[in-house]
Amino acid sequence: MAAFYLAAGALHLLSPDAFLPIVPGWVPEPRLTILATGVAEILGAIGLLVPRLRKAAGIGLALYALCVLPANIKHAVDGIAIPQLPASWWYHGPRLAFQPVLIWWALYAGTVIDWPWSGKPRRD
């Protein structure tokens, strides 16, 4: 998960303008928001690798995945083309369906939960 968010964060920082079309109109300062999300992704990735920061990073990345859902919905519903990404529902449907899994994965990677294996908070 850390590698996934490190790569995503780098992409947001290196090509923020590519993400501008999917930012909902109600988001203030879209370009700055995209840059901030890149920094958040990178910090979250690093946090997952530091044992004392792991839980906070997992919670932060789970909340992040929830907060970017409106952009993912706009991307899908409006059919916005982004270079190097497919534009069909064969891409958007699974991507939207995967969002809850991404939230779970962040919580699991952050040692916040161990579900479905034990159903109890992890004690790592």
Side-chain angles (χ1 to χ4, degrees), residues 4-5 12 19 21-24 26-27 41 64-80 82 85 88-89 91-100 102-103:
F4 169 79
Y5 272 113
H12 281 91
F19 295 94
I22 68 169
V23 177
W26 49 265
V27 173
E41 289 169 319
Y64 169 83
L66 180 64
C67 289
V68 298
L69 186 57
N72 295 341
I73 292 170
K74 179 180 179 180
H75 186 195
V77 171
D78 292 353
I80 298 167
I82 292 183
L85 288 180
S88 76
W89 272 96
Y91 166 76
H92 291 297
R95 180 180 184 201
L96 291 174
F98 188 70
Q99 205 72 16
L102 202 56
I103 292 167

Side-chain angles (χ1 to χ4, degrees), residues 10-23 30-31 34-35 71 75 80-85 95:
L11 191 58
H12 281 91
L13 293 178
L14 294 172
S15 302
D17 294 339
F19 295 94
L20 284 173
I22 68 169
V23 177
R31 190 169 197 284
I34 292 165
L35 292 171
H75 186 195
I80 298 167
I82 292 183
Q84 281 86 46
L85 288 180
R95 180 180 184 201

Side-chain angles (χ1 to χ4, degrees), residues 43-44 46-59 110:
L43 290 176
I46 293 167
L48 287 177
L49 302 174
V50 179
R52 66 184 178 90
L53 299 177
R54 191 168 292 140
K55 277 191 184 4
I59 292 168

